[in-house]
Amino acid sequence: MTSTVFSKLSQPVILGFDPGRYKCGLAIVGVDRTLCYHEVILVGEVIDHIESLRQTYPISLIVMGDQTGAKLWKHELSRLQEAPNVILVDERYSSLEARDLYWEMFPPKGLSRLLPQRIRSIPRPIDDIVAILLIERYLNKLTEVEI
């Protein structure tokens, strides 16, 4: 599922990557935290899809979850031509957090809006929402101020 797409950006962007066994989430966010793109794709399409995205977006960094197959995927991504750096981010509890973000991005309509959020079922995979959260976690870590 594709969402917002802005092409030919002048600022560098970050590619968020949530690897999975069968499907993966991809998201592109500007350093100003503007969401440019997000989609869930099949594992076998990841490398070609990322190469295609690199033709449109100035991807300066890949932020990836540190769990399912992270080492293997980091190696695969390093083989891209002029590969951007890959940063691993703690993805614990990201799926739970992604459920909340999903409902913020896509508020329920009709009678389902009356149901408590915890019992609503999400109508599609949310791996792309997890990829957005991984980027947010990375950017939040960069801007943390220790007191």
Side-chain angles (χ1 to χ4, degrees):
M1 167 178 259
T2 303
S3 184
T4 315
V5 177
F6 302 111
S7 60
K8 304 301 178 198
L9 296 174
S10 58
Q11 68 165 324
V13 295
I14 299 170
L15 172 70
F17 178 43
D18 177 39
R21 285 181 177 74
Y22 307 106
K23 60 189 176 358
C24 299
L26 296 175
I28 294 180
V29 174
V31 291
D32 64 353
R33 296 179 187 242
T34 300
L35 177 61
C36 303
Y37 168 91
H38 61 101
E39 185 171 14
V40 177
I41 62 168
L42 296 174
V43 166
E45 301 171 4
V46 168
I47 297 299
D48 289 341
H49 203 77
I50 289 174
E51 287 291 17
S52 175
L53 289 172
R54 292 177 72 200
Q55 301 301 311
T56 304
Y57 298 98
I59 297 170
S60 62
L61 178 68
I62 298 175
V63 174
M64 182 174 70
D66 63 355
Q67 300 295 308
T68 309
K71 287 183 182 179
L72 173 68
W73 277 111
K74 187 170 184 179
H75 175 72
E76 284 297 311
L77 295 171
S78 72
R79 296 172 57 187
L80 294 171
Q81 186 175 1
E82 297 177 30
N85 285 335
V86 177
I87 303 289
L88 297 179
V89 175
D90 181 4
E91 68 174 295
R92 285 178 291 177
Y93 310 112
S94 59
S95 293
L96 291 173
E97 200 175 324
R99 291 180 57 81
D100 294 337
L101 181 56
Y102 175 86
W103 292 118
E104 284 178 35
M105 293 173 69
F106 306 101
K109 294 178 173 47
L111 292 177
S112 66
R113 74 180 191 283
L114 301 175
L115 295 173
Q117 182 173 311
R118 70 183 181 283
I119 64 169
R120 279 186 225 133
S121 64
I122 295 177
R124 67 169 188 84
I126 57 172
D127 306 72
D128 56 333
I129 309 297
V130 172
I132 294 167
L133 286 171
L134 295 174
I135 296 171
E136 284 183 12
R137 287 181 179 188
Y138 171 75
L139 291 173
N140 288 344
K141 195 81 166 159
L142 286 181
T143 58
E144 263 181 16
V145 178
E146 293 196 24
I147 300 174

